[in-house]
């Protein structure tokens, strides 16, 4: 997956990637400028030449992720074939996180959203991008009477995204050694069958 450069300098990209790794290994409490400088073999003053604060680093990281997620959706537009669109949604996101595993915690962390109002806003913006695209696919299936209408598209998305997040956290707990591709393929297949069966009742 091609990385979106945004307006990030190479050294800044190194810093936000190191931030993702440190969040994964040490959590939000372990993410300090001092620890990040140590992780990168930098001086703290060198980090401050690129970012004014820890918050700015995290916000830049979230903006970067949001651009990449939106790029995935732009390059995988809704085709009109519901099963294909539903499967591709999971497949493309999994492929991205498999290439960038240390961003999993950043995207789905519940603790990070409470770090600051600005960071919380960026996480919500990122999740809204994912929700909006997933909801459009669910609406497609409902309009074609392929899946249940007993739930709204919003309610269905509130089920499938936490299920996806759960599999990502299981992968993280395994130190990224489990087969996440197989796990997500199985999940998407199971969810698809569940939605279909409910529509047939």
């Amino acid at each position: 997956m091609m990385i979106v450069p945004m307006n990030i300098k190479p050294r800044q990209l190194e810093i936000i990637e190191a931030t993702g790794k440190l969040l994964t290994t040490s959590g939000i409490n372990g993410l300090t400028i001092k620890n990040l400088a140590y992780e990168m073999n930098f001086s703290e003053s060198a980090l401050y030449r690129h970012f004014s604060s820890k918050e700015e680093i995290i916000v830049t990281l979230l903006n970067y992720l949001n651009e990449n997620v939106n790029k995935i959706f732009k390059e995988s537009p809704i085709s009109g074939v519901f099963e294909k669109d539903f499967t591709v949604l999971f497949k493309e996101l999994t492929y991205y996180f498999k290439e960038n595993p240390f961003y999993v915690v950043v995207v789905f962390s519940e603790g990070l959203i409470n770090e600051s109002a600005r960071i919380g806003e960026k996480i919500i913006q990122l999740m809204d991008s994912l929700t909006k695209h997933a909801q459009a696919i669910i609406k497609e299936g409902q309009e074609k009477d392929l899946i249940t209408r007993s739930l709204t598209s919003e309610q269905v998305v509130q089920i499938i995204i936490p299920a996806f997040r759960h599999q990502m956290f299981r992968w993280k707990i395994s130190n990224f050694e489990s087969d996440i591709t197989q796990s997500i393929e199985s999940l998407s297949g199971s969810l698809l069958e569940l939605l279909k069966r409910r529509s047939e009742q």
Side-chain angles (χ1 to χ4, degrees):
M1 178 81 55
M2 184 180 294
I3 296 297
V4 176
M6 211 168 74
N7 292 319
I8 298 179
K9 297 176 181 178
R11 184 63 75 184
Q12 290 176 315
L13 182 57
E14 288 181 35
I15 294 170
I16 65 173
E17 288 177 343
T19 298
K21 293 178 182 179
L22 192 56
L23 277 169
T24 299
T25 57
S26 303
I28 187 62
N29 292 330
L31 178 61
T32 63
I33 294 295
K34 180 178 180 180
N35 289 345
L36 187 56
Y38 179 80
E39 178 78 16
M40 299 188 70
N41 198 25
F42 273 19
S43 66
E44 292 182 46
S45 60
L47 283 177
Y48 282 119
R49 284 199 292 270
H50 296 285
F51 294 100
S52 62
S53 65
K54 179 177 79 170
E55 181 186 60
E56 186 187 356
I57 296 173
I58 297 173
V59 167
T60 302
L61 171 52
L62 290 166
N63 283 335
Y64 174 77
L65 282 171
N66 197 31
E67 287 205 18
N68 277 278
V69 168
N70 283 320
K71 181 173 185 285
I72 291 171
F73 297 154
K74 184 176 180 181
E75 293 184 349
S76 303
I78 295 176
S79 69
V81 180
F82 170 69
E83 289 192 21
K84 175 184 176 183
D85 291 335
F86 188 85
T87 302
V88 165
L89 170 66
F90 287 93
K91 182 179 179 181
E92 293 300 320
L93 285 171
T94 302
Y95 182 56
Y96 177 74
F97 286 117
K98 192 171 182 180
E99 287 197 333
N100 304 277
F102 296 111
Y103 292 152
V104 169
V105 172
V106 179
V107 177
F108 298 111
S109 172
E110 294 181 356
L112 190 59
I113 199 169
N114 297 318
E115 181 67 11
S116 76
R118 191 177 173 206
I119 289 172
E121 179 183 337
K122 292 298 179 180
I123 292 177
I124 291 171
Q125 183 180 26
L126 180 59
M127 294 306 296
D128 281 348
S129 296
L130 176 57
T131 298
K132 182 179 178 181
H133 190 78
Q135 198 167 344
I137 293 172
I138 295 303
K139 283 182 178 179
E140 172 195 351
Q142 290 177 325
E143 288 169 0
K144 294 180 178 179
D145 204 27
L146 297 175
I147 60 173
T148 181
R149 293 189 183 190
S150 62
L151 298 173
T152 66
S153 60
E154 182 179 3
Q155 288 172 325
V156 174
V157 170
Q158 288 173 352
I159 294 170
I160 66 175
I161 289 181
F164 178 78
R165 181 175 66 178
H166 177 69
Q167 290 299 327
M168 285 291 166
F169 268 118
R170 290 188 63 182
W171 182 45
K172 185 260 182 185
I173 291 171
S174 76
N175 199 29
F176 307 113
E177 293 180 358
S178 62
D179 189 346
I180 186 59
T181 301
Q182 177 60 40
S183 296
I184 296 299
E185 284 181 359
S186 177
L187 172 66
S188 62
S190 297
L191 289 171
L192 193 56
E193 286 303 310
L194 177 63
L195 292 171
K196 281 182 177 180
R197 285 176 185 149
R198 289 178 64 89
S199 69
E200 292 165 359
Q201 291 177 357

